Amino acid sequence: MNLTEHFTLEELTHTDHRALDNTPNDAELENIKRLAEFLEKLKTVLGGKPIMVNSAFRSKSVNDAVGSKDTSQHRIGCAADLRVPGMTPDQVVKAVIASDLGYQQVIREFDRWTHISIPNKEGDTPKKQALIIDKTGTRLYA
């Protein structure tokens, strides 16, 4: 099911943990739709480059299976981990910071992918927090 021109529900709920149910409820689905709309804006900021989503929505069982916290924005459909062919995660983070996108967090994770999230509720003011997570820990992006 297409949520936007370039993003589908299947793509934003995909999991390699096929034995686990990853079906969003109605509120989570609304957040996933907002996330898809945000990713369309990100695609424009990135010059139309493809966005490869590694992980977006995660049900509690999927989130537990990957070892993430219950407070993860993935749990409610407000976050995506992604890669952009032809761009490093650092380049993606810099492009997001330089844009006027209303992101909650952008995180360069292990120099392998970029995590991006939107506010948990429509209309909330985005924090625009930029971080780095790697083997040395978590710190502000500088």
Side-chain angles (χ1 to χ4, degrees):
M1 169 176 139
N2 280 11
L3 299 175
T4 62
E5 182 179 356
H6 298 101
F7 298 97
T8 67
L9 179 61
E10 293 76 18
E11 178 180 21
L12 298 181
T13 59
H14 172 80
T15 179
D16 289 335
H17 297 277
R18 292 180 184 91
L20 301 175
D21 183 24
N22 202 42
T23 305
N25 65 30
D26 289 345
E28 293 160 345
L29 181 57
E30 288 306 310
N31 285 338
I32 294 167
K33 288 176 183 176
R34 286 192 307 115
L35 179 63
E37 291 165 4
F38 177 86
L39 292 173
E40 289 289 351
K41 294 175 187 173
L42 175 61
K43 185 175 178 65
T44 299
V45 164
L46 300 178
K49 289 183 172 52
I51 293 175
M52 313 299 290
V53 177
N54 301 334
S55 177
F57 172 74
R58 296 183 198 141
S59 66
K60 175 154 178 49
S61 58
V62 171
N63 201 58
D64 290 348
V66 300
S68 190
K69 297 177 182 176
D70 280 339
T71 56
S72 168
Q73 287 186 281
H74 288 278
R75 277 285 300 114
I76 59 171
C78 289
D81 294 337
L82 52 91
R83 292 174 295 108
V84 179
M87 294 183 78
T88 66
D90 199 56
Q91 290 171 321
V92 174
V93 170
K94 286 178 180 177
V96 170
I97 292 170
S99 76
D100 64 353
L101 291 173
Y103 64 95
Q104 188 74 354
Q105 285 186 319
V106 62
I107 307 172
R108 187 184 80 201
E109 293 198 41
F110 302 97
D111 283 327
R112 294 181 45 218
W113 67 86
T114 306
H115 167 98
I116 192 147
S117 65
I118 58 174
N120 290 352
K121 294 179 184 163
E122 190 168 11
D124 281 359
T125 302
K127 286 188 340 187
K128 292 194 170 190
Q129 182 182 49
L131 301 169
I132 297 171
I133 295 176
D134 58 23
K135 64 183 178 181
T136 64
T138 302
R139 62 191 177 279
L140 290 175
Y141 186 93

